[in-house]
Structure formats: structure tokens, C-alpha cells
Amino acid sequence: MKVPNHIAIILDGNGRWAKAKGMPRGYGHIKGCANLESICDDIKDLGVKYLTVYAFSTENWKRSREEVDGLMKLFRSYLKKCMKSAEKNKMRVKVIGDISAFDDDIQDKIKKLEDFSKDYNELFFQIALNYGSRDEILRGVRRLAHDAAEGRLDPDKIDEGVFENYLDTAGIPDPDLMIRTSGELRLSNFLLWQLAYTEFYFTDVPWPDFHKPELLKAIEKYNERDRRYGGVKEE
Ligand code: IPE
Ligand code: IPE
Ligand code: MG
């Protein structure tokens, strides 16, 4: 079985999973977070090089104060624990998204984790926090426009490669497989540029129940796909 080089996952369904158990949404986030740790290990064991997960969107601030506060608390403990996981899996961790919206201590924890793991290269793990693809593109375009206005960039030389350097994912290859758990069939503002030729896999399984056998199913389905990139395969 061919393993994708880069898997991107929209971690969805924590709230519904908890509700079905008569528990508060926050319980679903705690279990979802624990599952992220084990999926990371599985991804590493399978030999996947890049993993990108969507954990908090630019739109998720619209949730109740209680839920957002609970998520921030969870990020604090997760970012700390992630150091051990980075060391164990020799993984480089990078947060994508606009982290300036987070409290200073969370921003510090992100920077510490990124710095601590910067020389690892067995797994490249991107966590999307306060991430929205439109926001990412606009932040990139603003920087690009400044560079052009100040003479550092020739507008006629802007091609896909140049533009990609202004995205949060600069230097990271596009995902080969995008998985969304819990039944929703949409992207919810995730990696709109980067997913142009990615294979999609949707499952009804909610994120806290998405364990290694489910991951293997997704990879099996990926292996059945006929990737063409707009070309035609020789018979
Ligand atoms: C995904 O689960 C986690 C975050 C978006 C933070 P949800 O919280 O979206 O769970 P559902 O979709 O409401 O079940
Ligand atoms: C997308 O899930 C964002 C994350 C998983 C972090 P949402 O649950 O927020 O998306 P919608 O609201 O169902 O589109
Ligand atoms: Mg959701």
C-alpha cells in the first residue's frame, strides 16, 4: 500500500460525539485532543512525512465563551505535552494561522514548541490554529503587495511558486489526502489553495472515534484513486 506523503485532517465532530454520550461539548474536545496524540504516533509509524490538522478556525471564535475558554485551556496543556511527542516522534511542529489573536502565554508556548522541535525532520506536523484559508491568503497578499510597492518584488515575476512563499504553508508540499471526519461535506475555509489537486476522503466517524483502523481505511481508499492532475493516463 502506497502511503500518502502529506495527510491533512479536518478534526470534526467532537461536540456531537460528546452530546451523543450525554456529555458537554468540552468533553468531546478533551477526547479529540487525546486522539490527536495517538493519530500522530500512527502517522509516524506508517511513514507519512507530513501531517496537517485543522484544530481551530478563524470562525470558531463565534462559539460560546465557555467553549472557547475550554479550548484555550486545552491548547495550553496540549502545546506543553506536544514537546514530548515531538521528541519521541522526531517531529517538527509548526503552527499555521494568525496566532496574534491568542493570549501571550499561548503565543509563547507555540514559539517554544516550534523552536524546540525545529531540527527534527522525521515527521512534519502542522497545527492550524486561528486558521482560515481566506485570512491566510489575504495576510500573504498584503505582505506581497508591500514587497512589490517597496521594490523588493517584480509584479511580473509573481507565479505560483512566488505566491506560495507568502502562505503560512511555505515550503510544505501540498496534501495528497484530505480527511474530514463526522459527515460534513465541506472545507470550512481549510487550505483552499493547497488542496487544488488533493484527494478527499469523508467519513461519518466522529473525530474522537477515528483511530488507526479508520486511518488505514482512508489510505486504502486513497490507493484506489486515479490521480491525473488534468492529464490523461496512457492505456
Ligand atoms: C471539531 O469538533 C473541533 C473544533 C472545531 C474545535 P466540533 O466542535 O466542530 O464538533 P461538532 O462538529 O460540533 O460535532
Ligand atoms: C472546521 O470545523 C474547523 C475545525 C475542525 C477546526 P467546524 O465544525 O468549525 O466547521 P463548520 O462550522 O461545521 O463548517
Ligand atoms: Mg464541527
Side-chain angles (χ1 to χ4, degrees), residues 91-148:
M91 68 182 188
R92 179 173 187 168
V93 188
K94 189 176 156 41
V95 171
I96 59 169
D98 179 6
I99 67 162
S100 69
F102 293 114
D103 286 349
D104 288 348
D105 70 302
I106 295 186
Q107 294 187 42
D108 284 349
K109 284 190 171 72
I110 291 171
K111 282 175 203 140
K112 257 194 205 135
L113 176 60
E114 288 182 337
D115 190 56
F116 170 81
S117 65
K118 70 179 187 322
D119 295 324
Y120 293 136
N121 60 8
E122 289 188 21
L123 172 63
F124 295 89
F125 179 38
Q126 289 67 238
I127 313 171
L129 289 177
N130 190 30
Y131 176 87
S133 192
R134 290 180 174 180
D135 177 68
E136 174 194 36
I137 290 170
L138 287 176
R139 282 185 287 107
V141 164
R142 255 178 245 128
R143 279 200 295 128
L144 180 145
H146 276 294
D147 282 350

Side-chain angles (χ1 to χ4, degrees), residues 11-17 25 29 54-57 60 63 67 71 75 182 184:
L11 317 173
D12 199 18
N14 293 347
R16 280 165 284 171
W17 178 88
R25 293 178 59 82
H29 294 316
Y54 201 9
F56 190 81
S57 76
N60 286 148
R63 297 185 177 196
E67 183 169 353
L71 283 165
F75 295 157
S182 212
E184 305 306 331

Side-chain angles (χ1 to χ4, degrees), residues 34-98:
N35 193 45
L36 179 57
E37 285 179 53
S38 60
I39 281 287
C40 236
D41 295 349
D42 297 334
I43 288 268
K44 167 73 197 300
D45 293 345
L46 287 168
V48 175
K49 268 306 221 189
Y50 294 83
L51 169 67
T52 301
V53 299
Y54 201 9
F56 190 81
S57 76
T58 45
E59 287 71 34
N60 286 148
W61 299 103
K62 291 180 200 156
R63 297 185 177 196
S64 74
R65 176 78 194 268
E66 189 193 355
E67 183 169 353
V68 171
D69 284 353
L71 283 165
M72 295 304 137
K73 200 171 151 204
L74 200 55
F75 295 157
R76 286 184 171 92
S77 68
Y78 177 76
L79 289 164
K80 220 168 129 192
K81 268 195 281 179
C82 199
M83 293 251 194
K84 281 210 181 74
S85 185
E87 196 171 15
K88 182 175 70 176
N89 288 329
K90 304 270 175 286
M91 68 182 188
R92 179 173 187 168
V93 188
K94 189 176 156 41
V95 171
I96 59 169
D98 179 6

